[in-house]
């Protein structure tokens, strides 16, 4: 049986990441609701990227995963960028 | 053989036959080697079969990689260079409006003459086609001219040609468009300019396109707000075509056909800075042909103003 | 310590099996990235075409319920992480409790979503509804098309996730914690998608 | 061991051969054995091949005459849609990966099974479910959008069973993804001891490259089709031009999948052909490493060329230029492969067996298919040729002349391993030649038709095109007869064929070290690989002796 200290580490670790996610979400909400601030969409997207990084690193332990797994995670994004790049090459030059 | 009936056709054919030559050459090399090896090294012959030296496969490999890359890039350059001039639309072209619908081509000459599934054009004059579709995607393809352009709903597409030889040519719809796709064909008749002028004058003339648009402009109520004496705040349309328009969100667009059309059909999409969006949407109110006519009228406003200057 | 993991054909060593399961699931997540990526691409194009109309449409989305759901899903990710790590550490009471909490939070998400849908429908916020308030407005109409489409697709993903998480309760977790690990990965991915949808659907400002 | 009636020493099928390891229907339908799943796939793709083939025959018969007299326009449109949908998603894409890939990949890397056997079985069930949806759409009255489902025709204007068919294809996509994930994980994690990356047979490499494309392209198609379903089912106007939807956007996401899908069809064929040519020419594959890199490069650049389907679609000239450029670039790795296959023959000791005839046929037909691809990558020529029969001929050279020839070649090559029996070589060779002839007879005239401007998907056409159409249709009849031939002699072999030895082709791969048919768990002991995949070395042995080193032996 696992000791209580290990149990505490598990729970506290999750709570810590959760709190960070929550604060990021709250800041995103605040930024969106305060009128007159510039670059709302980019700001919201930056927050999402940070949140995703927290989930990927903290919850999904991508940092500790093998190189193979990390490459796989990256490849989806890279291929998606192909779709965006090539399609926008059309849309922006029509 | 397929006639080369437009000024574009010879340059397309040159590349086509060049590629045929290249293909024959490569097929001859590959096929010849396969046959020669198949005969020489078939089971039972006493041809020499020792190991290949290491360097050989490497050198050969790099050699043919580089040479195919070179050939590929050369063909790309050749084809792209031939295409570039065709991307530029000619100035002072005869402008024909084409509206496609399932399964019919509706054509309108600038003088207002309309045709269905047929197009008469003079020889030796650049003809620019402004095309849009009422329903699905169609494609305006004339093999004898080597042109083809999809005709899209909700957007204008353009292509052009300059006919070189008098005659009748096939017009095909080349983008599958439903049941009677195969019957969405027509005839392009290329005539001597005098014959074209005679033909044109013998046709029942409607108002010319811009004139027709001018009548619609009043009939559909546009002039009530955009007119010179209107009391409702609406932007003036004179000189609008081709100018830069500043929108409410600060961005700029060029007032081209697509913009004019969008603003008639869905005025709230791009509202001019300083005005509020009070104009009703004409989508479904004005038919595709009426929109074409209205756009032609708005473009003519520009002409009249510059003529007056 | 946890007991020996159950090996499934064709594997012969637990470490290899775990690597394969995690790798396989990440491959699946890569397909999911591209799947939702296709949607985000269309969303991006539509929004750039008519940002004002988008904002007009989004102004009617229920920010409160959307935000509540974001918090619910965030929390469920945390509880499922606890479950997975507890299972791996052999702390079964903790694992079961955390799984049940995750199930409760996920179900709550769907319930809130259901309420939100009912409210949207009562306000005719469906593009084909005859009383759709934005009919004729391009951006707003497309916003609501995207809203319905993607929230339904996301809800389907979440429902599948709930099924997978519920299945964990029936497994011999001390020996099959690897299943918990990959289930968790999927759940977190669905969470990340929502974290991205939240600003794109609810925080659209002019 | 016993001596059979031919007088040769042959082994009775192993007690635990995968074929005899259970004979109930249940033992087949719930089997997670990759070899049985391969057989399930083989049976089901055969059914779909003949359904799609029947539609093709009807299409060609209709085109004998310029008038639309055999079928109505609507029937014709439903026929070519059916032909396209069935052949693309229910035959070509699963053909080699689902059958030969499933059967051989674990054997070739020395594994007991694929990484996720239950997922593998699920992939077959998804395939069958999807097939039933699509067949239901067919039986209820068909679909008339073409296999491309272009909007707004498919969303707003078609009065046919688009929803069912699109959903069917959405589901079959998951089957493809499951296969892809399985293969990638198998190759990464289940290679046996000594099986380094550069010792993998090219077929395994081909499966790897194919799986990459399956995994990364299919989900985008799934989204495109789901959006069509959303628009048809719920009325959500996503591509509707009346609310600013851009039909060209659908084409972008459709071709983001559907162009790489061509490589899902042709990469496995390249793998099969590499195996056959090396073994039947008794020669190491010329430029093995270049072959590997060429396949990987094709798999990656294949994602960046889709816009060449859209040169006349209203795409910007700038984008067309980029796509044209990349399309020329991707011709290079394909050419490398053709030259390397040719080079492999050099100094070989060539056996003209049926699989070798298919493989050599493949080289010729694929080369012509690839060269005509250059025409379509050149913008000005493509403007003239796109949506004409030139395109139809081009992709049939790749998909039928290429992929189907290779599938037949592979089927014959590994037939003794899969079934444990030999087929009649003379019948098989005649069929191969017959198909090669029939194929060219059918499709070569279509290049000419295309240059003359005959549009595709026309059930009526101007009379001046008739000569070439009659030629093509006559060829199609020849081809249709040809495709029935293997049914007979392979069927006969299945029941009465001579027993095959473990390695009747004297090949080097791990799959040939097992008994024929292989035992249920593939290898009694995990094999250890000690040499490269194509150690054929004809020169240091007297003719008649073994001239190959199996991968389990040191070189």
């Amino acid at each position: 049986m696992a000791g209580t200290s290990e149990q505490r580490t598990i729970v506290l670790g999750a709570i810590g990441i959760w709190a960070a996610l929550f604060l990021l979400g709250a800041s995103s909400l605040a930024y969106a609701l305060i009128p007159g601030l510039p670059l709302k969409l980019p700001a919201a997207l930056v927050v999402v990227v940070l949140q995703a990084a927290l989930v990927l690193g903290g919850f999904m332990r991508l940092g500790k995963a093998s190189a193979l797994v990390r490459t796989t995670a990256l490849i989806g994004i890279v291929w998606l960028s192909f779709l965006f790049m090539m399609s926008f090459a059309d849309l922006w030059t029509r | 053989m397929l006639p080369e009936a437009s000024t574009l056709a010879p340059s397309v054919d040159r590349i086509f036959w060049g590629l045929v030559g290249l293909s024959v050459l490569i097929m001859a090399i590959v096929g010849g080697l396969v046959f020669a090896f198949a005969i020489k090294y078939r089971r039972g012959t006493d041809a020499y079969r020792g190991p290949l030296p290491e360097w050989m496969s490497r050198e050969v490999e790099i050699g043919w990689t580089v040479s195919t890359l070179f050939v590929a890039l050369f063909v790309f350059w050749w084809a792209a260079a031939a295409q570039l001039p065709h991307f530029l639309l000619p100035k002072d072209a005869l402008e024909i409006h084409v509206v496609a619908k399932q399964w019919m081509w509706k054509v309108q000459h600038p003088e207002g003459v309309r045709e269905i599934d047929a197009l008469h054009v003079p020889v030796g004059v650049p003809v620019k086609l402004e095309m849009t579709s009422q329903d699905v995607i169609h494609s305006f393809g004339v093999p004898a001219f080597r042109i083809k352009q999809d005709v899209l709903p909700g957007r204008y597409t353009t292509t052009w040609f300059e006919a070189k030889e008098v005659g009748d040519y096939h017009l095909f719809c080349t983008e599958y468009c439903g049941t009677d796709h195969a019957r969405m064909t027509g005839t392009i008749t290329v005539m001597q300019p005098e014959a074209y002028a005679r033909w044109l004058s013998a046709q029942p003339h409607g108002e010319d396109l811009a004139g027709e648009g001018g009548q619609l402009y009043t009939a559909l109520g546009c002039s009530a707000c955009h007119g010179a004496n209107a009391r409702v705040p609406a932007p003036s349309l004179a000189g609008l075509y081709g100018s830069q328009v500043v929108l409410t969100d600060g961005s700029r667009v060029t007032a081209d056909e697509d913009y004019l059309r969008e603003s008639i059909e869905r005025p709230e999409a791009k509202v001019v800075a300083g005005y509020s969006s009070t104009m009703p949407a004409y989508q479904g109110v004005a038919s595709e042909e009426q929109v074409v006519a209205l756009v032609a009228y708005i473009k003519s406003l520009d002409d009249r103003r510059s003529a007056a200057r | 310590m946890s007991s020996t993991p159950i090996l499934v054909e064709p594997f012969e060593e637990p470490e290899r099996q775990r690597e394969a399961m995690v790798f396989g699931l990440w491959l699946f997540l890569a397909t999911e990235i591209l799947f939702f990526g296709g949607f985000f691409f269309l969303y991006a194009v539509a929004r750039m075409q008519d940002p004002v109309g988008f904002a007009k449409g989004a102004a009617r989305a229920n920010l409160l319920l959307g935000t509540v759901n974001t918090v619910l899903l965030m929390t469920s990710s945390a509880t499922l992480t606890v479950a997975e790590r507890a299972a791996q550490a052999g702390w079964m009471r903790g694992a079961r409790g955390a799984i049940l909490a995750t199930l409760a939070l996920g179900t709550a998400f769907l319930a809130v979503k259901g309420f939100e849908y009912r409210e949207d429908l009562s306000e005719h916020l469906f593009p084909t509804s005859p009383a759709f308030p934005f009919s004729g407005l391009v951006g707003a109409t497309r916003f609501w098309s995207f809203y319905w489409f993607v929230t339904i697709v996301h809800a389907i993903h979440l429902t599948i996730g709930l099924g997978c998480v519920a299945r964990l309760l029936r497994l011999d977790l001390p020996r099959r914690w690897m299943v918990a690990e990959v289930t968790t990965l999927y759940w977190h991915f669905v969470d990340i998608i929502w974290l991205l949808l939240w600003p794109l659907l609810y925080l659209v400002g002019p | 061991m016993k001596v059979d009636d031919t007088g040769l020493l042959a082994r009775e099928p192993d007690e635990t051969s995968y074929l005899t390891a259970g004979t109930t229907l249940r033992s087949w339908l719930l089997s997670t054995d990759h070899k049985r799943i391969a057989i399930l796939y083989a049976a089901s793709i055969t059914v779909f091949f003949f359904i799609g083939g029947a539609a093709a025959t009807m299409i060609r018969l209709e085109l004998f005459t310029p008038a639309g007299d055999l079928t109505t326009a609507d029937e014709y449109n439903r026929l070519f849609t059916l032909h396209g949908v069935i052949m693309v998603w229910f035959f070509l894409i699963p053909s080699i990966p689902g059958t030969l890939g499933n059967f051989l990949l674990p054997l070739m890397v020395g594994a007991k099974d694929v990484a996720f056997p239950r997922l593998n079985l699920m992939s077959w069930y998804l395939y069958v479910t999807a097939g039933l949806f699509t067949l239901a759409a067919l039986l209820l009255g068909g679909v008339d959008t073409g296999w491309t489902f272009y909007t707004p025709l498919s969303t707003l204007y078609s009065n046919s069973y688009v929803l069912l068919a699109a959903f069917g294809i959405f589901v079959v996509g998951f089957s493809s993804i499951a296969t892809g994930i399985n293969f990638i994980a198998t190759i990464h994690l289940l290679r046996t001891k000594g099986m380094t990356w550069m010792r993998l047979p090219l077929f395994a490499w081909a499966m790897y490259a194919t799986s990459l494309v399956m995994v990364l392209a299919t989900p985008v198609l799934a989204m495109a089709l789901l959006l069509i379903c959303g628009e048809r089912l719920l009325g959500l106007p996503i591509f509707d031009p009346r609310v600013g939807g851009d039909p060209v956007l659908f084409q972008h996401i459709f071709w983001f999948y559907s162009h790489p899908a061509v490589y899902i069809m042709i990469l496995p064929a390249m793998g099969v052909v590499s195996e056959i040519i090396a073994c039947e020419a008794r020669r190491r594959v010329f430029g093995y490493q270049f072959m590997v890199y060429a396949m990987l490069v094709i798999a990656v650049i294949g994602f960046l060329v889709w816009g060449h389907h859209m040169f006349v679609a209203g795409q910007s000239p700038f984008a067309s230029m980029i796509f044209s450029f990349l399309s020329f670039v991707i011709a290079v790795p394909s050419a490398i492969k053709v030259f390397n296959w040719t080079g492999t023959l050099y100094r070989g000791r060539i056996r003209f067996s049926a699989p070798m005839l298919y493989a050599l046929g493949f080289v010729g037909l694929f080369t012509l298919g690839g060269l005509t691809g250059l025409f379509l990558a050149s913008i000005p020529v493509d403007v003239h040729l796109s949506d004409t029969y030139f395109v139809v001929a081009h992709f049939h050279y790749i998909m039928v002349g290429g992929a189907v020839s290779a599938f037949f070649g592979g089927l014959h090559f590994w037939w003794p391993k899969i079934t444990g029996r030999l087929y009649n070589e003379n019948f098989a060779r005649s069929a191969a030649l017959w198909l090669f002839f029939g194929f060219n007879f059918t499709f070569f005239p279509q290049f000419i038709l295309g240059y003359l401007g005959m549009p595709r998907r026309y059930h009526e056409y101007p009379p001046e095109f008739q000569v070439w159409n009659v030629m093509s249709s006559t060829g199609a009849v020849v081809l249709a007869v040809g495709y029935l031939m293997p049914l007979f002699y392979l069927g006969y072999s299945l029941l009465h064929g001579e027993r095959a030895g473990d390695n009747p082709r004297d090949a080097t791969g791990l799959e040939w070290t097992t008994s024929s048919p292989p035992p249920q768990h593939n290898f009694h002991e995990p094999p250890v690989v000690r040499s490269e995949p194509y150690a054929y070395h004809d020169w240091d042995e007297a003719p008649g002796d073994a001239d190959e080193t199996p991968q389990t032996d040191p070189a």
Side-chain angles (χ1 to χ4, degrees):
Chain A
M1 248 308 111
T4 32
S5 71
E6 190 178 355
Q7 293 172 2
R8 194 178 301 135
T9 321
I10 290 171
V11 175
L12 288 181
I15 289 180
I17 293 166
W18 178 86
L21 284 175
F22 186 87
L23 289 176
L24 279 169
S27 64
S28 183
L29 184 65
Y31 196 86
L33 292 184
I34 298 168
L37 291 175
L39 299 176
K40 296 214 165 193
L41 181 64
L45 290 179
V46 166
V47 171
V48 173
V49 170
L50 292 176
Q51 285 180 320
L54 266 175
V55 175
L56 287 168
F59 284 162
M60 299 164 92
R61 285 185 287 202
L62 199 56
K64 287 183 196 152
S66 63
L68 181 62
V69 166
R70 276 183 286 167
T71 316
T72 313
L74 191 65
I75 266 184
I77 305 283
V78 171
W79 253 253
L80 187 58
S81 75
F82 291 169
L83 175 66
F84 274 77
M85 274 181 341
M86 302 299 279
S87 301
F88 276 107
D90 169 28
L91 294 168
W92 280 339
T93 54
R94 269 193 201 151
Chain B
M1 219 48 295
L2 186 64
E4 292 183 339
S6 71
T7 50
L8 175 71
S11 78
V12 173
D13 276 8
R14 230 181 350 264
I15 302 171
F16 180 85
W17 291 110
L19 283 168
V20 169
L22 178 73
S23 304
V24 169
L25 180 72
I26 293 179
M27 283 307 285
I29 295 174
V30 171
L33 284 175
V34 167
F35 270 103
F37 291 161
I39 292 165
K40 186 166 181 202
Y41 298 110
R42 70 187 185 277
R43 177 153 290 228
T45 60
D46 51 4
Y48 175 67
R49 291 186 164 88
L52 289 178
E54 189 61 32
W55 63 267
M56 184 164 163
S57 62
R58 181 159 314 226
E59 307 280 293
V60 170
E61 201 78 54
I62 291 168
W64 61 42
T65 305
V66 171
S67 50
T68 42
L69 185 64
F70 178 76
V71 170
L73 294 184
F74 170 75
V75 179
F76 167 73
W77 166 80
W78 189 24
Q83 180 65 24
L84 279 175
H86 194 70
F87 281 143
L88 305 172
L89 299 172
K91 298 231 180 302
D92 305 323
L94 177 63
E95 196 174 301
I96 306 273
H97 284 271
V98 178
V99 175
K101 60 170 276 193
Q102 283 177 325
W103 293 275
M104 184 193 284
W105 294 104
K106 296 189 281 188
V107 172
Q108 195 159 11
H109 292 258
E111 297 80 3
V113 173
R114 292 160 187 272
E115 299 182 74
I116 283 180
D117 288 346
L119 171 61
H120 290 72
V121 290
V123 72
V125 175
V127 177
K128 184 175 138 199
L129 302 166
E130 283 280 344
M131 305 185 287
T132 188
S133 163
Q134 237 169 275
D135 36 49
V136 302
I137 305 175
H138 302 276
S139 189
F140 190 97
V142 186
F145 296 165
R146 313 290 189 274
I147 59 161
K148 187 173 288 144
Q149 175 60 54
D150 281 11
V151 181
L152 305 171
R155 220 181 107 185
Y156 283 101
T157 52
T158 318
T159 187
W160 70 276
F161 62 87
E162 184 182 327
K164 225 173 49 158
E165 275 170 46
V166 171
D168 288 345
Y169 304 104
H170 285 300
L171 158 65
F172 292 125
C173 174
T174 49
E175 182 62 67
Y176 174 66
C177 58
T179 308
D180 273 334
H181 172 55
R183 291 193 180 149
M184 194 169 159
T185 58
T187 308
I188 312 271
T189 307
V190 178
M191 313 167 98
Q192 291 297 345
E194 315 80 64
Y196 174 71
R198 268 201 307 281
W199 173 85
L200 208 55
S201 57
Q203 296 304 306
H205 265 66
E207 189 84 40
D208 75 357
L209 200 53
E212 187 189 325
Q215 289 177 355
L216 286 168
Y217 187 71
T218 318
L220 292 171
C222 313
S223 57
C225 303
H226 290 285
N229 307 321
R231 268 173 286 164
V232 188
S236 160
L237 303 181
L240 172 62
Y241 178 69
S243 66
Q244 292 281 316
V245 179
V246 183
L247 304 181
T248 32
D249 63 350
S251 62
R252 289 169 165 273
V253 290
T254 308
D256 55 5
E257 279 105 343
D258 272 319
Y259 170 78
L260 294 180
R261 172 208 173 81
E262 185 182 29
S263 298
I264 294 169
E265 297 200 321
R266 302 182 299 267
E268 86 294 343
K270 296 194 174 75
V271 180
V272 180
Y275 295 90
S276 59
S277 174
T278 48
M279 177 174 156
Y282 277 81
Q283 182 160 317
V285 177
S287 75
E288 203 64 65
E289 279 108 327
Q290 288 177 323
V291 175
V292 167
L294 281 171
V295 171
Y297 173 67
I298 295 169
K299 284 166 73 175
S300 75
L301 289 176
D302 178 50
D303 292 339
R304 280 168 205 178
R305 194 185 62 158
S306 43
R309 232 187 248 161
Chain C
M1 261 342 311
S2 56
S3 22
T4 344
I6 294 180
L7 280 172
V8 190
E9 178 92 305
F11 295 99
E12 276 154 5
E13 39 190 308
E15 201 31 53
R16 190 38 69 103
Q17 176 172 340
R18 176 182 175 196
E19 203 183 343
M21 286 172 76
V22 172
F23 177 47
L25 201 99
W26 270 104
L27 278 169
F28 178 69
L29 294 187
T31 72
E32 288 277 34
I33 290 174
L34 281 152
F35 177 76
F36 281 101
F39 170 84
F40 288 124
F41 166 64
L42 292 176
Y43 176 97
V45 175
R47 184 164 171 171
M48 278 179 214
Q49 268 174 9
D50 187 1
V52 182
F54 250 68
K56 260 187 211 159
R60 295 288 296 271
N62 192 322
L63 177 60
L64 177 64
L65 293 185
T67 309
V68 167
N69 261 348
T70 309
V71 176
L72 284 176
L73 217 49
M74 242 181 228
T75 316
S76 76
S77 260
T79 54
L80 196 61
T81 304
V82 171
E84 180 239 330
R85 290 181 192 173
Q88 214 169 330
W91 176 27
M92 285 308 135
R93 260 173 55 97
R96 286 186 70 84
I99 289 174
L100 288 171
T102 311
L103 286 173
L105 289 162
T107 316
F109 177 95
L110 289 180
V112 171
K113 197 77 227 164
F115 276 122
E116 195 185 339
Y117 280 158
R118 208 179 62 177
E119 196 189 292
D120 294 338
L121 287 179
S122 72
E123 291 175 29
H124 309 288
L125 289 167
F126 196 87
T128 54
S129 155
F132 183 55
F134 302 112
S135 67
L137 286 173
V138 178
T141 310
R142 299 188 83 195
F143 172 84
W144 281 98
S145 304
F146 285 133
Y147 167 87
W148 282 98
F149 181 83
V150 78
T151 52
I152 291 173
V153 170
H154 180 267
I156 293 172
H157 274 81
L158 196 80
T159 311
I160 295 170
L162 279 175
C164 296
V165 173
R167 182 168 159 267
L168 295 180
L169 288 173
R170 295 182 39 212
L171 289 181
D172 177 12
L173 266 190
R175 303 182 63 203
R176 301 200 62 184
W177 52 264
M178 291 177 192
V179 182
E181 186 174 2
V182 292
T183 307
T184 313
L185 289 178
Y186 173 78
W187 187 271
H188 290 322
F189 178 80
V190 177
D191 182 21
I192 292 181
I193 290 293
W194 183 261
L195 289 177
L196 179 53
L197 286 177
W198 178 57
L200 293 185
L201 297 180
Y202 297 94
L203 299 183
V204 185
Chain D
M1 296 279 197
K2 75 164 202 185
V3 177
D4 71 9
D5 46 14
T6 56
L8 292 167
L9 191 68
R11 195 173 358 184
E12 272 292 278
D14 204 309
E15 289 273 306
T16 56
S17 133
Y18 81 99
L19 286 174
T20 50
T23 47
T24 58
L25 191 61
R26 190 188 152 82
S27 77
W28 278 91
L29 292 181
L30 294 180
S31 169
T32 54
D33 180 354
H34 66 102
K35 300 181 287 303
R36 289 203 160 193
I37 294 169
I39 302 291
L40 292 176
Y41 258 116
S44 34
I45 65 162
T46 307
V47 171
F48 281 107
F49 178 70
F50 283 101
I51 295 175
T57 313
M58 290 291 290
I59 291 170
R60 280 314 323 168
L61 290 179
E62 159 60 43
L63 293 174
F64 256 116
T65 57
D69 36 21
L70 185 65
T71 63
T72 65
D74 259 330
E75 286 159 5
Y76 183 83
N77 296 342
R78 282 162 164 75
L79 278 172
F80 72 66
T81 305
L82 167 76
H83 171 70
V85 166
I86 296 277
M87 286 304 202
V88 169
W89 283 295
F90 294 93
F91 175 69
L92 283 165
I93 286 181
S95 63
I96 298 179
T99 57
L100 298 174
N102 257 331
F103 195 96
L104 295 167
L105 186 69
L107 287 166
M108 280 183 166
V109 302
K112 275 199 262 182
D113 206 319
V114 291
F116 312 109
R118 291 202 300 169
L119 182 67
N120 203 15
L121 181 65
M122 190 178 95
S123 119
W124 182 72
Y125 274 98
L126 286 171
Y127 170 82
V128 172
T129 314
L132 291 179
F133 270 106
T134 311
L135 285 181
L138 153 73
L139 293 175
L140 289 170
V143 184
D144 67 349
T145 59
W147 76 280
T148 48
F149 292 99
Y150 272 13
T151 59
L153 179 62
S154 63
T155 47
L156 294 173
Y157 292 90
S158 172
N159 283 315
S160 58
Y161 293 86
V162 178
L163 186 62
L164 269 180
F167 188 71
I169 297 164
F170 174 76
V171 174
V172 85
F174 285 98
S175 142
S176 203
I177 290 174
T179 304
I181 291 179
N182 241 323
F183 285 1
I184 294 179
T186 307
I187 295 174
H188 267 283
L189 300 171
L190 288 174
R191 278 171 293 128
T192 193
K193 197 162 174 243
M195 182 56 93
T196 58
W197 284 96
M198 283 300 147
R199 280 180 180 170
L200 275 179
L202 286 173
F203 181 75
W205 269 114
M207 283 300 125
Y208 185 74
T210 308
S211 305
L212 272 182
V213 182
M214 281 177 164
V215 166
L216 294 169
T218 317
V220 179
L221 175 79
M223 180 47 81
L225 291 172
L226 205 57
L227 286 161
I228 286 188
C229 292
E231 191 155 348
R232 277 192 83 95
L233 189 67
L234 305 174
L236 298 173
I238 286 164
F239 295 110
D240 188 345
R242 288 171 307 192
V243 292
D246 180 352
V248 179
L249 275 189
F250 174 79
Q251 296 177 26
H252 273 303
I253 57 175
F254 178 81
W255 288 113
F256 181 85
Y257 164 80
S258 292
H259 190 75
V262 174
Y263 300 106
I264 300 180
M265 304 173 200
I266 201 66
L267 283 167
M270 292 171 163
V272 167
V273 165
S274 305
E275 297 293 321
I276 297 176
I277 290 187
C279 174
E280 300 296 289
R282 318 302 300 161
R283 196 79 197 167
R284 171 178 291 134
V285 167
F286 193 91
Y288 170 88
Q289 293 203 8
F290 277 80
M291 292 295 249
V292 171
Y293 297 136
M295 282 196 280
L296 294 178
V297 168
I298 289 174
V300 176
I301 303 186
F303 277 91
L304 300 171
V305 300
W306 79 81
H308 64 220
H309 295 266
M310 299 164 59
F311 287 160
V312 298
Q315 182 176 246
S316 80
F318 174 72
S320 291
M321 283 289 175
I322 298 178
F323 281 121
S324 167
F325 175 77
L326 290 166
S327 306
F328 276 106
V329 170
I330 205 173
V332 176
S334 312
I336 292 177
K337 298 199 71 81
V338 169
F339 292 137
N340 281 346
W341 289 316
T342 314
T344 306
L345 300 174
Y346 180 60
R347 293 187 180 178
R349 189 183 292 282
I350 302 167
R351 292 191 300 224
F352 292 100
S353 61
M356 187 61 162
L357 294 181
Y358 280 113
L360 294 177
F362 169 95
V363 173
L365 300 178
F366 173 76
T367 308
L368 189 52
L371 285 167
T372 48
L374 296 182
F375 290 67
L376 300 173
S378 320
I379 301 172
V381 182
D382 179 75
V383 168
H384 174 48
L385 297 175
S386 75
D387 277 305
T388 68
Y389 265 82
F390 192 92
V391 177
V392 177
H394 158 71
F395 71 72
H396 280 89
Y397 264 78
I398 299 286
M399 291 177 191
V400 184
V404 179
S405 289
F407 174 63
F408 274 60
L411 191 63
H412 286 82
F413 187 72
W414 283 289
W415 183 264
K417 179 53 61 188
I418 295 172
T419 63
R421 290 175 188 270
L422 299 176
Y423 55 84
N424 184 316
E425 194 64 47
N426 284 332
F427 279 131
R429 283 184 204 151
S430 323
L433 291 174
W434 180 283
L435 285 172
F436 182 80
F437 172 75
F439 174 82
N440 283 297
F441 199 177
T442 310
F443 290 103
F444 198 84
Q446 297 185 3
F447 283 125
I448 297 160
L449 270 178
Y451 172 71
L452 295 178
M454 174 158 164
R456 62 193 285 208
R457 295 171 168 175
Y458 265 35
H459 91 300
E460 294 178 342
Y461 54 86
E464 68 254 36
F465 296 136
Q466 194 180 3
V467 187
W468 305 106
N469 272 306
V470 168
M471 272 178 73
S472 177
S473 293
T474 314
V477 175
V478 174
L479 199 57
V481 173
Y483 281 127
L484 294 174
M485 292 164 37
L487 273 189
F488 292 105
Y489 65 78
L490 289 181
Y492 181 86
S493 150
L494 208 54
L495 301 172
H496 307 291
E498 221 177 279
R499 298 256 178 240
D502 290 352
N503 188 3
R505 303 199 181 275
D506 302 321
T508 53
L510 289 181
E511 76 270 27
W512 300 101
T513 62
T514 64
S515 53
S516 302
Q520 200 182 2
H521 291 284
N522 295 353
F523 302 98
H524 299 295
E525 295 271 294
V528 178
V529 174
R530 296 193 176 82
S531 59
E532 49 152 332
Y534 304 106
Y536 298 104
H537 37 81
D538 196 58
W539 53 87
D540 58 3
E541 298 283 343
D545 288 347
D547 61 353
E548 81 281 356
T549 309
Q551 280 197 277
T552 45
D553 291 355

